[in-house]
Amino acid sequence: MDILFNAVGGFVVEVGKFVCKCIYPKIENIVRFSSKIENLREEMEKLTKFRNDIEVKVEEAEEEGYKPKPDVIKWFKDVCELEKEWQSMQDSIATAKTLAYKCCPKCSLRSELSTQAQKIQDQLRRHIKVGANFGSNLVVENYQIIKVEFIPGTSIEGQSAATKNLNKILRLLGDDKVCIIGVWGTGGVGKTTLVNNLNNKLLKTDVSSFKLSFGVVIWVTVPKPPIDIRNVQTQIASRLNLKVDNEGNVKSNASKIYKRLKQEKSFLLILDDVWEAINLDDVGVPQPEPPARSKVIITSRSLDVCKQMKIDTEMKVYTLDEDESWQLFIKNAGDVANLADIQPLAKEITRECDGLPLAITVIGTSMRGKTKVELWEDALKSLRMSEPHNKDVTDKVYEVIKLSFDSLESQDNELYSKQRSKHVKNKRGDIRSCFLYCSLYPAAISTEDLIKCWWAEGFLGVHDTYEEAYNRGITIIDSLKDACLVEEAHKTDCVKMHDVVRDVAIWIDNSFGLTDISHIEMSAPVKRISLLSKEIQSLPDNFRECPETTTLLLQDNHNLEKIPYKFLLAFPALGVLNLSETGIREMPCSIDTLCQLRALILRNCYDLKKLPPIGNLFNLELFDCDNTRLCCLPQGMDKLTNLRLLNLPVDYLEESISHGFFLKLPRIEILNMLPTKTRDIDWMMRKNRVTLLVPTSFDEISSLHNLTSLFINLDNSSILIRDHTWMKRLKRFHIEIGETSKSIPFNKSRKMISISHCETFSNGELSGMLHFASHLHLLKCGGLRKLIATNSFDRLKSLHIESCSCNFTPAEEGNEQFDDPLPNLEHLSLSSVHNLKSVSDFGQLLGLRFSGLRQLKISSCRNLACLFIVGGYFSVPKHLEEVSVAFCHRLTELLVQCSSSQMTLVSSEIPRVRKLWLKELPKLRTLREPWDHIEELKLINCYEITELPFSIQTSNKIRLIKGTSEWWNLLEWDDINFKSNLEHCFLKK
């Protein structure tokens, strides 16, 4: 019996243990349901905060052009999914907390939710561990790009044939079976104009009907044969913000481009002006395959070239019919073409253009404003006398363009030389030679470099100062643009020649310049030699003597490392020598024999560390060594008494500039000795760097009476209280003071002072300089009130303050300042000023009224609570037009009523803000002010703003609203029709 009892008892005990083990977790889930859910809620809040912190870091990196790593993107997505799952449980949790039968909890639901919560908690902890392991390794190289870049050019609006062609290309781009499109036709027919308008069309939202959405649109102007694959790669890499080695292996560059483009969901590559077939594999472009999301468009004069590139479809661009030709001619010639006596002649001239858009545009523009019938008759006769002129389109184009060339103001350059020797100073320059000079460049031309060469060649006439010559150069460029002989290039501050126009220029005067080194031995005397971008690796030692050559352009030959000694001896009359962007490591001593040299340009010769003596270059007026690594000044440089422009960065100089050096350069007008920190960010870290511009040097510079432009870095000792009235003759300057380790935007047209890590304001050391400055940039400086509030700087228009410590305690009574120290301030930028609570406090600190303030930019001011406090002493800047606020996590209001003021904020007190950009402002809940003039509104990660002001909802002025789709879809509206009316303005971030 005992045996049976013990056996049964043991069995019961084991069953009991098993049942308890199964039931206990369920009981615990029911009993401790609330505490478990609250613990999970706290952990989810921590995860959200952790996610937000990482997101801010990534956003800041993206602002600098970086891209989050794929595993970081996946982590964000996983956390988002977990947050959605947690959010979806909230209704069930609320239900589970209620009682089923008076005092009985809903046990089954609580148990189920507790189990689900445990799973979420396990995932949450894994996500936190993964996120913590990222550390600072969140982003990869600079891949941030604008999807489509606007390219300036002629619009085809109103041209039915061109519009039809554009619509056809758009349809082809939407066809999944079409990968590569070939656009072909004769030179000047409008191929480039067509794809240019296509590019700009893709910027607009009205192409959505074609289901077009490219991750990036890339424009490449293909160089003339022989095709330079590295040039094509460089253009693509530049557009993608991808670093490739300009001198590196083509295959290596292709691999980088290929990997980068594969990261895009889709791309559109436009290869403009292709003369020879290009192997896309050699470039690194992934071959588009059906169904094709990525596309390639090529433009060429040759259908055969298109076929060699394996196009899927071709589209020929035809010349215009008679009616469209006439409409285009009137557009360029103006209403004068419709005058009764002129119209028949104008129509005949249009017919002679034979429907070629380039010819019509050029000749029409050349006749604009000419009301004398005789001028039109002469133009028509000139066109008809050109031979051959009936069948050969090229000759027709040449003659038409030459007519525009013939109409340019022209004066004999030989006469100019004679007048120059007689000191005649009324010559306005030789615009024809300026035009022909442009033909020496195969692609985009920097206007600044072009004008320098014109000046050195004497094409700009005789002027007292370089600035006068520069102004004349700008006038000539505008005249050439107006005559459609040059046009704006895609690059900033560059112009270019249409390839047909360049051919015509060479045809007009083939002795003006030579662009092929193989023709030099057999040619007549050569006036100018251009060997740009020819992939030259070496030059001959024994070169045919060129006694009449005045210009030698060798830039952009990256593999050229050496200039033979005897090579330069062949050019005794050389006036312009440009070796920019070459790999030269040293210059031959024969450089000192070029006594006629007026311009020596060595920009971006990164491997150049030393120059031979140049004391015999006594005619040298322009010496440009920007982005070189010269470790010492060349011997004899103090003998260059005619020098006017000197660009000599001091990064690598190993010794101070000697006493009296600047006094030996009395004609200097432009002096640029700023360090090139944008290229070498570690330059400040070199321990052996010396102080290059000591106070005595600065005193010498102040005695240069012809100086109008100055760009230098000074140490603190150079700003001791002294007389700075000499600076009033400077038309532009950028003076850096202190150890400026951060690159500051550089603009050669400003009067700018940049100061960093400096606290020497207590005695007014900078007051003298600041009286002449228009822009002031302060980085990690102290004593701001002593610097500004006790002075008046009428000329200061822009103020940027970054990481400066300020005490915003109100000034003592009796010390209140009534005169605004910065009465003409237009731009104010505050970054990382952490004590700042409002811009009004900043204004009160310095006694500012902001009466002329137009732009306000604030970022990363962590204690900022509002922008302006309105009422009493305070007021809203009446002329404020643009406001940008980002990463100010405690900002709750834009405008706040002063506590002591009983006034109500009215519409008339709100500034006429046109652009309002707000980003990462998690506590900003409303934009309740009436923003009646808003044209652009950007709200990025400001999720507490759930409703737009009524003035914006009903606005007919707003052009752009930018934000996330999630935010836009969750907005509340007074009327659903208001949202419909603004849908076309919304742009997804």
Side-chain angles (χ1 to χ4, degrees):
M1 189 63 143
D2 290 336
I3 294 173
L4 178 61
F5 180 82
N6 290 334
V8 172
F11 175 79
V12 170
V13 169
E14 290 301 319
V15 170
K17 288 181 179 179
F18 177 79
V19 171
C20 290
K21 185 176 181 181
C22 295
I23 295 177
Y24 177 77
K26 295 184 180 293
I27 296 174
E28 184 184 39
N29 285 343
I30 295 170
V31 174
R32 299 184 60 192
F33 172 78
S34 296
S35 62
K36 281 192 171 187
I37 292 298
E38 287 306 311
N39 289 339
L40 179 57
R41 191 184 306 280
E42 292 177 3
E43 290 194 53
M44 284 299 299
E45 289 175 355
K46 291 179 180 178
L47 175 62
T48 299
K49 183 179 182 302
F50 184 54
R51 189 273 316 271
N52 290 340
D53 291 341
I54 292 180
E55 199 169 43
V56 168
K57 293 178 181 177
V58 171
E59 287 278 350
E60 290 175 345
E62 286 180 326
E63 286 289 326
E64 299 177 3
Y66 288 85
K67 180 179 180 179
K69 287 188 171 182
D71 51 349
V72 175
I73 296 175
K74 183 180 183 301
W75 185 82
F76 280 135
K77 183 178 180 181
D78 292 341
V79 171
C80 183
E81 291 297 326
L82 190 65
E83 289 174 332
K84 287 181 180 178
E85 184 178 352
W86 166 246
Q87 194 62 37
S88 68
M89 292 174 57
Q90 300 308 305
D91 291 341
S92 299
I93 291 173
T95 302
K97 287 184 177 180
T98 62
L99 302 178
Y101 301 100
K102 295 184 179 180
C103 62
C104 180
K106 297 182 178 180
C107 300
S108 176
L109 180 58
R110 287 192 174 192
S111 177
E112 179 182 343
L113 289 174
S114 293
T115 302
Q116 187 178 358
Q118 184 62 47
K119 292 180 180 178
I120 290 177
Q121 192 172 47
D122 293 339
Q123 294 181 56
L124 178 150
R125 289 170 179 170
R126 285 198 300 270
H127 290 330
I128 289 180
K129 183 178 180 181
V130 171
N133 288 337
F134 287 143
S136 59
N137 194 21
L138 298 169
V139 294
V140 291
E141 273 191 33
N142 184 351
Y143 287 153
Q144 183 185 21
I145 50 176
I146 302 171
K147 288 187 177 182
V148 186
E149 288 185 337
F150 176 81
I151 300 177
T154 304
S155 172
I156 60 172
E157 185 177 356
Q159 300 178 31
S160 59
T163 302
K164 288 179 182 178
N165 286 334
L166 178 60
N167 291 333
K168 181 178 179 180
I169 295 179
L170 288 169
R171 287 193 296 271
L172 291 172
L173 290 177
D175 189 342
D176 290 341
K177 297 178 181 178
V178 176
C179 303
I180 304 178
I181 303 169
V183 180
W184 67 283
T186 188
V189 78
K191 305 181 295 297
T192 298
T193 300
L194 178 62
V195 291
N196 193 328
N197 279 263
L198 167 69
N199 178 88
N200 297 340
K201 182 81 170 178
L202 294 175
L203 274 169
K204 303 177 182 178
T205 57
D206 59 354
V207 299
S208 58
S209 59
F210 295 94
K211 300 179 181 179
L212 302 176
S213 179
F214 296 104
V216 60
V217 178
I218 306 168
W219 180 289
V220 174
T221 300
V222 180
K224 294 291 188 297
I227 298 298
D228 182 357
I229 295 297
R230 191 179 284 107
N231 181 294
V232 176
Q233 290 176 329
T234 299
Q235 292 185 62
I236 294 174
S238 175
R239 178 67 178 88
L240 297 172
N241 288 341
L242 178 66
K243 292 182 180 178
V244 296
D245 187 356
N246 291 334
E247 301 178 15
N249 185 279
V250 170
K251 290 185 178 180
S252 174
N253 291 342
S255 177
K256 292 180 181 179
I257 292 172
Y258 183 89
K259 291 178 181 178
R260 175 64 185 86
L261 285 175
K262 291 296 280 186
Q263 292 183 12
E264 293 292 341
K265 294 180 179 179
S266 63
F267 64 84
L268 171 61
L269 173 62
I270 299 174
L271 297 172
D272 184 44
D273 199 19
V274 181
W275 287 71
E276 291 181 355
I278 301 173
N279 189 329
L280 296 180
D281 293 331
D282 291 343
V283 178
V285 177
Q287 293 279 359
E289 297 178 355
R293 296 192 63 187
S294 296
K295 311 278 185 176
V296 175
I297 295 177
I298 66 173
T299 72
S300 177
R301 297 187 186 186
S302 170
L303 178 59
D304 186 58
V305 169
C306 296
K307 291 179 177 179
Q308 289 179 42
M309 293 193 64
K310 301 177 182 179
I311 60 172
D312 298 296
T313 186
E314 54 93 6
M315 190 185 82
K316 183 177 181 180
V317 181
Y318 295 93
T319 53
L320 305 178
D321 61 28
E322 187 171 337
D323 182 61
E324 282 198 327
S325 295
W326 175 240
Q327 295 302 321
L328 182 59
F329 187 89
I330 292 176
K331 180 180 178 181
N332 288 278
D335 293 335
V336 66
N338 276 320
L339 295 179
D341 294 334
I342 291 178
Q343 189 185 70
L345 297 168
K347 287 190 174 183
E348 284 298 316
I349 290 174
T350 305
R351 292 189 187 99
E352 290 294 331
C353 293
D354 201 23
L356 196 65
L358 179 62
I360 295 170
T361 301
V362 171
I363 191 63
T365 303
S366 70
M367 302 306 294
R368 191 177 187 88
K370 295 183 178 181
T371 57
K372 293 182 179 180
V373 175
E374 294 85 351
L375 296 175
W376 289 82
E377 290 176 340
D378 184 68
L380 180 58
K381 181 180 179 181
S382 298
L383 284 171
R384 287 177 171 171
M385 288 179 63
S386 300
E387 294 181 2
H389 194 75
N390 294 325
K391 297 180 180 180
D392 193 335
V393 176
T394 303
D395 283 348
K396 288 184 179 180
V397 174
Y398 281 17
E399 293 298 339
V400 169
I401 295 176
K402 187 177 183 300
L403 179 63
S404 185
F405 169 80
D406 291 338
S407 68
L408 294 174
E409 297 176 16
S410 178
Q411 298 188 39
D412 192 348
N413 199 44
E414 292 182 5
L415 176 61
Y416 163 68
S417 300
K418 295 177 182 178
Q419 289 179 330
R420 185 178 183 187
S421 64
K422 296 178 181 178
H423 307 285
V424 177
K425 300 195 176 185
N426 58 354
K427 181 161 176 61
R428 298 292 292 155
D430 185 355
I431 190 172
R432 286 189 175 184
S433 293
C434 290
F435 164 71
L436 295 175
Y437 202 93
C438 294
S439 68
L440 299 176
Y441 295 80
I445 319 166
S446 164
T447 54
E448 185 173 348
D449 288 348
L450 188 60
I451 291 173
K452 287 177 179 177
C453 291
W454 286 349
W455 175 58
E457 278 272 7
F459 296 157
L460 299 180
V462 180
H463 301 278
D464 291 330
T465 65
Y466 173 75
E467 183 169 7
E468 291 176 357
Y470 181 84
N471 293 340
R472 180 58 184 162
I474 293 295
T475 301
I476 289 178
I477 288 175
D478 279 352
S479 297
L480 294 174
K481 287 180 184 177
D482 292 342
C484 295
L485 292 174
V486 298
E487 57 192 50
E488 290 284 351
H490 183 36
K491 296 180 180 178
T492 306
D493 297 327
C494 290
V495 294
K496 65 177 181 179
M497 261 189 170
H498 189 283
D499 51 358
V500 177
V501 177
R502 184 182 301 106
D503 292 341
V504 172
I506 296 171
W507 171 74
I508 288 171
D509 186 356
N510 56 17
S511 68
F512 184 90
L514 201 63
T515 58
D516 190 340
I517 195 171
S518 64
H519 294 162
I520 290 179
E521 294 298 330
M522 62 185 71
S523 67
V526 181
K527 296 178 182 177
R528 292 158 198 90
I529 298 176
S530 173
L531 302 174
L532 280 78
S533 306
K534 296 290 186 180
E535 293 189 338
I536 296 173
Q537 298 184 13
S538 62
L539 294 168
D541 202 347
N542 294 316
F543 196 78
R544 168 196 159 182
E545 187 172 355
C546 301
E548 298 183 19
T549 301
T550 57
T551 288
L552 178 58
L553 304 179
L554 286 165
Q555 60 262 44
D556 296 319
N557 289 293
H558 303 285
N559 294 325
L560 180 61
E561 297 182 357
K562 182 179 180 182
I563 308 295
Y565 176 85
K566 292 183 179 180
F567 179 79
L568 292 180
L569 297 179
F571 306 97
L574 205 60
V576 177
L577 177 59
N578 193 335
L579 291 165
S580 300
E581 299 280 356
T582 60
I584 57 170
R585 301 177 182 274
E586 59 182 14
M587 289 288 289
C589 295
S590 54
I591 184 73
D592 204 29
T593 66
L594 303 179
C595 299
Q596 302 301 317
L597 198 64
R598 294 184 67 200
L600 177 57
I601 306 172
L602 305 170
R603 295 173 66 90
N604 300 326
C605 294
Y606 303 124
D607 296 323
L608 185 61
K609 299 180 180 180
K610 190 175 182 180
L611 287 173
I614 57 173
N616 287 326
L617 305 183
F618 46 82
N619 282 312
L620 195 66
E621 295 182 286
L622 186 156
F623 188 26
D624 190 346
C625 297
D626 192 28
N627 279 342
T628 61
R629 302 194 179 194
L630 294 181
C631 60
C632 62
L633 296 180
Q635 183 180 341
M637 189 172 172
D638 54 352
K639 297 179 180 179
L640 306 181
T641 55
N642 283 310
L643 204 58
R644 293 192 184 187
L645 280 71
L646 176 59
N647 191 346
L648 183 67
V650 296
D651 304 45
Y652 295 91
L653 293 186
E654 296 175 353
E655 58 186 20
S656 298
I657 296 174
S658 61
H659 177 69
F661 171 78
F662 293 105
L663 298 178
K664 296 176 181 178
L665 306 175
R667 299 190 68 189
I668 283 286
E669 298 177 33
I670 300 177
L671 178 61
N672 183 0
M673 303 190 79
L674 278 179
T676 54
K677 297 182 292 297
T678 54
R679 173 176 55 82
D680 183 8
I681 60 175
D682 295 325
W683 75 283
M684 289 298 301
M685 305 303 295
R686 294 196 299 275
K687 294 182 179 180
N688 61 343
R689 183 176 177 267
V690 297
T691 300
L692 297 164
L693 289 180
V694 294
T696 54
S697 296
F698 194 55
D699 288 338
E700 291 176 14
I701 291 173
S702 69
S703 66
L704 298 174
H705 297 292
N706 291 309
L707 190 67
T708 60
S709 303
L710 177 62
F711 313 100
I712 58 171
N713 179 279
L714 301 175
D715 60 9
N716 293 343
S717 63
S718 297
I719 59 170
L720 297 175
I721 298 176
R722 62 180 72 220
D723 183 8
H724 293 292
T725 55
W726 66 273
M727 292 181 64
K728 65 183 178 182
R729 67 173 178 263
L730 295 179
K731 296 186 177 181
R732 60 198 64 81
F733 58 79
H734 185 174
I735 299 176
E736 293 184 349
I737 300 171
E739 300 295 311
T740 310
S741 57
K742 179 177 180 179
S743 178
I744 296 170
F746 177 49
N747 187 313
K748 290 186 178 181
S749 64
R750 296 174 178 171
K751 296 182 177 181
M752 184 172 186
I753 295 178
S754 305
I755 312 166
S756 74
H757 301 81
C758 186
E759 298 197 23
T760 59
F761 301 153
S762 57
N763 297 317
E765 293 89 341
L766 279 169
S767 299
M769 281 189 182
L770 282 178
H771 280 297
F772 304 100
S774 62
H775 292 68
L776 177 61
H777 191 293
L778 300 176
L779 172 65
K780 294 184 179 180
C781 294
L784 189 60
R785 178 175 175 79
K786 293 180 180 179
L787 172 66
I788 294 179
T790 57
N791 293 276
S792 179
F793 304 111
D794 296 343
R795 294 182 176 90
L796 203 65
K797 293 184 177 182
S798 177
L799 176 61
H800 176 89
I801 298 177
E802 182 173 354
S803 301
C804 293
S805 58
C806 302
N807 181 5
F808 291 95
T809 304
E812 297 179 6
E813 294 185 10
N815 290 335
E816 185 176 1
Q817 182 161 330
F818 295 95
D819 293 331
D820 189 344
L822 305 177
N824 296 311
L825 187 67
E826 296 179 1
H827 312 283
L828 175 62
S829 174
L830 302 171
S831 177
S832 300
V833 184
H834 297 310
N835 292 336
L836 183 70
K837 293 185 177 180
S838 75
V839 180
S840 296
D841 289 348
F842 179 83
Q844 186 182 29
L845 171 72
L846 302 180
L848 305 179
R849 299 295 187 271
F850 302 126
S851 56
L853 191 66
R854 297 183 181 276
Q855 292 182 333
L856 175 64
K857 182 177 181 181
I858 302 179
S859 64
S860 303
C861 295
R862 60 188 177 209
N863 288 311
L864 186 74
C866 69
L867 292 187
F868 295 100
I869 304 173
V870 184
Y873 171 88
F874 306 101
S875 63
V876 182
K878 294 182 179 180
H879 300 289
L880 194 60
E881 296 178 350
E882 297 182 18
V883 175
S884 173
V885 188
F887 303 106
C888 298
H889 294 164
R890 295 187 181 180
L891 183 77
T892 57
E893 295 274 358
L894 297 183
L895 305 181
V896 173
Q897 197 74 26
C898 178
S899 58
S900 62
S901 174
Q902 302 299 319
M903 297 186 303
T904 301
L905 198 63
V906 296
S907 178
S908 60
E909 294 177 305
I910 303 299
R912 302 173 67 89
V913 174
R914 295 184 297 104
K915 296 181 181 180
L916 182 61
W917 298 348
L918 306 175
K919 182 175 183 179
E920 291 290 346
L921 307 176
K923 293 190 177 181
L924 182 62
R925 297 179 178 275
T926 179
L927 300 176
R928 60 187 176 189
E929 291 77 20
W931 304 95
D932 297 326
H933 304 280
I934 287 289
E935 296 175 5
E936 292 185 17
L937 175 65
K938 295 183 181 180
L939 287 169
I940 310 298
N941 294 347
C942 301
Y943 291 108
E944 290 299 316
I945 298 178
T946 59
E947 185 177 5
L948 298 178
F950 187 79
S951 59
I952 294 180
Q953 292 189 42
T954 58
S955 173
N956 58 3
K957 295 181 180 179
I958 197 157
R959 296 183 289 104
L960 173 67
I961 301 176
K962 187 174 182 180
T964 63
S965 297
E966 180 183 5
W967 168 79
W968 177 255
N969 293 330
L970 292 176
L971 278 178
E972 300 173 3
W973 299 85
D974 293 344
D975 188 324
I976 193 62
N977 291 326
F978 295 161
K979 180 179 181 180
S980 300
N981 294 336
L982 295 178
E983 283 282 3
H984 71 283
C985 299
F986 177 69
L987 179 63
K988 181 173 69 174
K989 172 184 175 291

